[in-house]
Amino acid sequence: MRFVKVLASIVFSLIIIIALVGYFAVRNFDLNKYKSFATEMVEQQTGRHLAINGDARIGISLTPTVDLNDVELSNPEWAKNPQMLKVKQLEVKFAIIPLLKKQVVIDKVNLIAPEIYLEKAKDGVASWTFKTSSPQAAAAAVKKAPQADKISAQAVAENPGAAALAGFAARNVTIENGLVNYFDAKTGKETNVKINQITMEAPAVDQQMTAGFDVTYNGQPIKGDLVLGALNSLLENKEPYPFKLTAEAFGVDFDLQGSAEDLMSAPRYAVLANIYNPAGNFNAPETTLKALADGDVNQADIKIQTLNIVNNLITGKVKAVWSGKVPSVDATLSSDKINLQNFSGNSNFALELPSIIGTAQAAEMVPATAVPYEMLKQVNAKANLSVKQLVISPGMQADNVVVKADLQNGVLKVNPLQLQFGGGNIDGNLTANANTRNIQLKLTSKNMLLQNLHKEFKVDGANDFGVLSGGNVDLDIDVSSNGSTYRQLVQNLNGQVIAIVDKSVIQTGALSFMSGNFISQLLGTLKIDTSKAEKLNLTCGVVRADLGSGKANFPKGIVLNAKELTLVSDGNINLVNDKIDFDLRPFSGKVSNTNVMQAISSLIKIKGTLQSPKIALDDKEALKTIVGVATTGGTAYLGSKLLLDADGSPCYTALKGTPYANRFPKPSGVAATTQNVYQETTDQVGKGLKAIINTPKDILKALKSPKKTSGSSN
């Protein structure tokens, strides 16, 4: 019995000693001696040099581990960067159960601080395409691989290098704190991606693979999950290789599902994409895109099933090519209806319009912000857009909008720009040249009707404002500018804007859509009452603006000429700071005591800004009128002044010097007797100017006397 105990003690002690010896033997096993063997094998199978500059050691635990430090894998000789892969630490963990069966199966690989440098030569050869010494050597390596029995012979024959690497593939791979650099020698473009973490799982070469990634591209986080087909399927390349991607990048949600072919040689893909961009991201509106894309590494053909921009639906097709030095896009898009009201501040829309457009909304100052001309040089594009119905506002819309744009080498040409508006047609063209910093716009219209421009111009009732007949409108815009900033564009703006309304009958009912604003206040000041539903027989109406030196000048260029009333305005708008300065001259067509107040009300000016217009007193005209009334007895001076101030053909005067100069007849002049009366009163006014009122406050006080004076002198 004692012998048994002694024998057991000896055996047990031997086991412990052997275990300890084995542990220390493995523990102290110098893996560094086998660096040369590893580098030789890798170079034989991939054609690349592997360098293990740091220590290599084996860790003993429940999961056997090999640690390699400072590992490098070379790039091809033609590559810009000599190294394709640099790893600070490579940790390889082996599955313990297969080890008991004398099988080596890699369970997990951790790459810490890897740097990956991928390049593509000018001839299209990629640095990640490996070469082997011979197909036979690669096939032999595959046969020795842990999962060799699951890799098909066809895969080995067609892509022996990739098959050899796949044979040693790990079930789990983790990459942390890495960097990926991609350089395309043909385009000269370089891209950098910071890897926060990437995880990949492949239980076996004949099972699907999954991956998760968290990277940063140009400061923008990109996160997502990827599901791929089996590795064996990828190597065999018999059928399209499936993939599914769910990701969030640059604030956009992506859901892509499709397949790829020939990934190892000439990759092609087909994918169904669902993309969502929330409101405000990229300063763009809320957008949802559902599209089919088919392409390769150089180009893509995209069929847009639905492009929803704030409930505006667009369909079409796009072809994008990015293989050249400058990417190109060719798009054909259409929509049954686009409602611009959906882009208002009340909707999920956060587009910041250029400041030059903002001046029309009374911005206090046009900023000296650079115009992004360089964007026009980033891509060459051709686009055809058609919209059946374009809703501008609740009462205004355009139909059958057609836009054809061509952007080549920084020069954008939009021609034609066509739409049906107000029952007529508008034709135009636009040119923006990023090379010369020049912009030109031309628009002309035919057969538009005033009553069709806006629903408020249609007569709905007896007391409603609107156009009863006529209403023909012609529009002519011809402007150009140049400059590197928005302020320079405004300061250098040149050209003309002309709108003409022909003979019409207008019902001057309540201007419901203008009630409570500055227009209604102005009409009240001018003693123009639109509430009696009387007709206004319009002979003509003109708006003419001459653009130059940062201003829009209206040389007697705003005219309303009717039998019942003539209204002429002369002034300007400062396009840089939006300040306005206008004279108003109304004339009722007859002279009597009752229109003395009309004469006085014609002494007003409009000052302020477009955002906050104000009614002001025209000091010079008021002084002249009051002196004339005081020295001549009132009505005689007022009457002659009104007759002379009233242009016999104000629309002709407004259009003088334009292509429409002969649109209306010349003025017939003023009767000689009226001229004599006016001349006499003018002389008397001139003599009295030295001793009369010289402040606006005194003028306002004096305005109380003309009515009394005119009544006593008549």
Side-chain angles (χ1 to χ4, degrees):
M1 190 68 177
R2 184 179 180 184
F3 172 76
V4 174
K5 290 182 179 180
V6 173
L7 182 60
S9 298
I10 294 173
V11 172
F12 182 71
S13 298
L14 287 173
I15 292 174
I16 293 176
I17 292 171
I18 292 172
L20 290 173
V21 171
Y23 171 79
F24 283 107
V26 175
R27 181 74 175 178
N28 295 290
F29 177 75
D30 189 3
L31 194 59
N32 292 289
K33 295 180 179 179
Y34 294 88
K35 286 182 181 179
S36 58
F37 173 76
T39 56
E40 182 180 348
M41 183 180 67
V42 171
E43 188 165 358
Q44 183 182 29
Q45 304 307 323
T46 66
R48 305 292 176 82
H49 176 67
L50 174 70
I52 305 175
N53 301 316
D55 289 334
R57 62 180 181 270
I58 296 177
I60 301 300
S61 65
L62 293 177
T63 304
T65 304
V66 173
D67 285 331
L68 303 177
N69 294 278
D70 194 6
V71 180
E72 295 181 352
L73 180 65
S74 68
N75 252 326
E77 294 182 357
W78 53 262
K80 176 183 177 183
N81 197 302
Q83 307 301 332
M84 176 179 169
L85 174 66
K86 298 170 68 175
V87 181
K88 180 179 180 181
Q89 182 180 359
L90 172 62
E91 184 181 66
V92 182
K93 295 185 178 182
F94 299 93
I96 192 167
I97 301 300
L99 282 176
L100 298 177
K101 300 178 181 180
K102 298 183 180 181
Q103 294 179 351
V104 179
V105 176
I106 301 175
D107 187 58
K108 189 170 185 178
V109 174
N110 289 334
L111 279 80
I112 299 176
E115 296 179 17
I116 303 171
Y117 297 91
L118 305 176
E119 299 186 32
K120 181 177 283 189
K122 292 183 178 180
D123 59 3
V125 177
S127 65
W128 56 90
T129 301
F130 296 96
K131 296 180 180 180
T132 60
S133 57
S134 69
Q136 293 77 13
V142 173
K143 291 180 180 179
K144 297 178 182 179
Q147 304 186 62
D149 58 326
K150 296 183 179 180
I151 299 178
S152 69
Q154 179 182 354
V156 175
E158 292 184 356
N159 206 326
L165 292 177
F168 291 93
R171 293 175 177 176
N172 297 275
V173 176
T174 300
I175 304 174
E176 296 179 349
N177 301 323
L179 172 69
V180 176
N181 175 278
Y182 172 69
F183 176 72
D184 191 329
K186 187 175 183 179
T187 62
K189 293 183 178 180
E190 190 168 351
T191 304
N192 290 288
V193 179
K194 178 184 176 184
I195 299 175
N196 301 315
Q197 186 178 62
I198 294 178
T199 59
M200 295 178 284
E201 294 185 5
V205 293
D206 56 355
Q207 295 184 33
Q208 73 175 18
M209 298 182 289
T210 60
F213 52 90
D214 180 357
V215 301
T216 302
Y217 175 80
N218 289 341
Q220 292 289 336
I222 302 175
K223 299 180 180 180
D225 296 292
L226 181 64
V227 178
L228 301 169
L231 183 58
N232 211 357
S233 175
L234 175 64
L235 294 173
E236 289 181 354
N237 199 28
K238 288 182 179 180
E239 298 178 352
Y241 185 67
F243 63 85
K244 182 178 181 181
L245 171 67
T246 303
E248 180 181 348
F250 305 99
V252 180
D253 293 333
F254 294 88
D255 187 350
L256 310 178
Q257 188 168 354
S259 61
E261 299 180 73
D262 298 326
L263 286 174
M264 298 301 176
S265 54
R268 286 196 58 83
Y269 56 85
V271 59
L272 173 62
N274 284 279
I275 302 173
Y276 173 74
N277 182 69
N281 193 39
F282 296 112
N283 290 326
E286 182 181 29
T287 304
T288 301
L289 171 65
K290 184 177 182 180
L292 286 170
D294 183 2
D296 55 29
V297 294
N298 297 315
Q299 63 181 35
D301 292 301
I302 304 170
K303 181 180 180 181
I304 299 175
Q305 296 179 339
T306 303
L307 174 59
N308 187 331
I309 307 177
V310 199
N311 297 321
N312 293 302
L313 303 181
I314 300 172
T315 60
K317 58 182 181 179
V318 178
K319 183 180 182 65
V321 179
W322 51 83
S323 57
K325 188 173 182 179
V326 179
S328 64
V329 177
D330 193 338
T332 301
L333 306 174
S334 63
S335 177
D336 289 335
K337 181 179 180 180
I338 292 181
N339 191 339
L340 296 182
Q341 297 174 92
N342 294 350
F343 299 107
S344 68
N346 296 326
S347 66
N348 292 329
F349 182 59
L351 178 64
E352 296 179 2
L353 294 174
S355 300
I356 190 172
I357 299 177
T359 60
Q361 302 177 7
E364 293 183 358
M365 184 68 70
V366 179
T369 305
V371 180
Y373 288 113
E374 291 304 314
M375 294 179 61
L376 298 180
K377 299 180 180 180
Q378 299 303 312
V379 63
N380 291 329
K382 293 183 179 181
N384 292 278
L385 173 65
S386 60
V387 181
K388 290 183 179 180
Q389 186 181 58
L390 180 65
V391 179
I392 303 170
S393 70
M396 185 181 297
Q397 75 175 48
D399 300 306
N400 298 322
V401 179
V402 176
V403 178
K404 184 177 181 179
D406 189 357
L407 174 60
Q408 300 294 326
N409 302 318
V411 180
L412 172 64
K413 294 182 179 180
V414 180
N415 189 12
L417 171 59
Q418 298 176 332
L419 62 149
Q420 294 176 354
F421 185 59
N425 298 306
I426 292 180
D427 291 286
N429 61 79
L430 168 71
T431 301
N433 192 324
N435 304 305
T436 60
R437 304 290 198 266
N438 180 265
I439 297 175
Q440 294 179 317
L441 173 65
K442 293 184 179 181
L443 287 176
T444 58
S445 72
K446 293 181 180 179
N447 304 319
M448 289 198 309
L449 294 177
L450 187 63
Q451 55 269 45
N452 291 334
L453 296 181
H454 196 285
K455 71 175 185 179
E456 294 291 351
F457 293 153
K458 293 183 178 181
V459 177
D460 293 329
N463 297 318
D464 188 37
F465 170 85
V467 181
L468 295 173
S469 62
N472 184 74
V473 178
D474 288 329
L475 178 68
D476 193 329
I477 299 175
D478 189 349
V479 297
S480 64
S481 185
N482 63 82
S484 298
T485 67
Y486 290 119
R487 185 179 299 174
Q488 289 175 356
L489 283 178
V490 172
Q491 291 172 339
N492 297 330
L493 193 62
N494 287 287
Q496 275 188 338
V497 177
I498 297 174
I500 303 172
V501 181
D502 284 330
K503 188 174 182 180
S504 308
V505 177
I506 300 174
Q507 181 170 286
T508 61
L511 300 176
S512 58
F513 72 108
M514 292 184 179
S515 61
N517 61 16
F518 175 77
I519 298 297
S520 60
Q521 297 174 30
L522 179 61
L523 294 176
T525 302
L526 295 177
K527 305 302 178 184
I528 298 175
D529 187 0
T530 63
S531 63
K532 298 180 180 180
E534 296 181 353
K535 295 179 181 179
L536 189 66
N537 293 280
L538 184 69
T539 302
C540 62
V542 172
V543 175
R544 168 191 173 178
D546 294 345
L547 306 176
S549 302
K551 289 185 177 182
N553 295 294
F554 300 82
K556 294 186 179 180
I558 301 177
V559 176
L560 175 69
N561 187 25
K563 292 181 180 179
E564 297 79 10
L565 173 71
T566 297
L567 178 64
V568 177
S569 182
D570 183 77
N572 64 75
I573 299 175
N574 189 315
L575 298 176
V576 177
N577 58 24
D578 289 333
K579 288 185 178 180
I580 56 178
D581 185 2
F582 283 95
D583 297 328
L584 284 176
R585 297 292 177 264
F587 180 59
S588 64
K590 58 182 178 179
V591 181
S592 66
N593 290 347
T594 58
N595 68 355
V596 171
M597 285 307 299
Q598 175 194 327
I600 294 174
S601 65
S602 72
L603 307 177
I604 70 169
K605 292 176 72 73
I606 300 177
K607 294 275 195 177
T609 66
L610 287 175
Q611 185 178 18
S612 181
K614 300 182 183 300
I615 299 174
L617 182 68
D618 188 337
D619 296 348
K620 293 181 180 179
E621 285 300 316
L623 179 60
K624 183 177 179 181
T625 300
I626 293 169
V627 172
V629 170
T631 56
T632 64
T635 304
Y637 177 81
L638 286 173
S640 57
K641 180 181 185 302
L642 288 169
L643 286 172
L644 279 171
D645 282 355
D647 191 335
S649 185
C651 291
Y652 171 85
T653 302
L655 295 173
K656 188 181 299 183
T658 74
Y660 301 90
N662 298 319
R663 180 70 171 265
F664 301 104
K666 297 180 180 180
S668 58
V670 181
T673 54
T674 305
Q675 178 63 46
N676 292 335
V677 173
Y678 182 77
Q679 186 61 50
E680 292 176 4
T681 56
T682 300
D683 292 341
Q684 295 182 46
V685 169
K687 295 176 181 179
L689 280 176
K690 298 179 181 179
I692 296 292
I693 316 147
N694 53 21
T695 68
K697 184 176 181 180
D698 294 333
I699 293 173
L700 288 173
K701 291 180 179 178
L703 283 176
K704 299 178 180 179
S705 60
K707 187 174 182 179
K708 181 178 179 180
T709 304
S710 62
S712 60
S713 62
N714 190 29

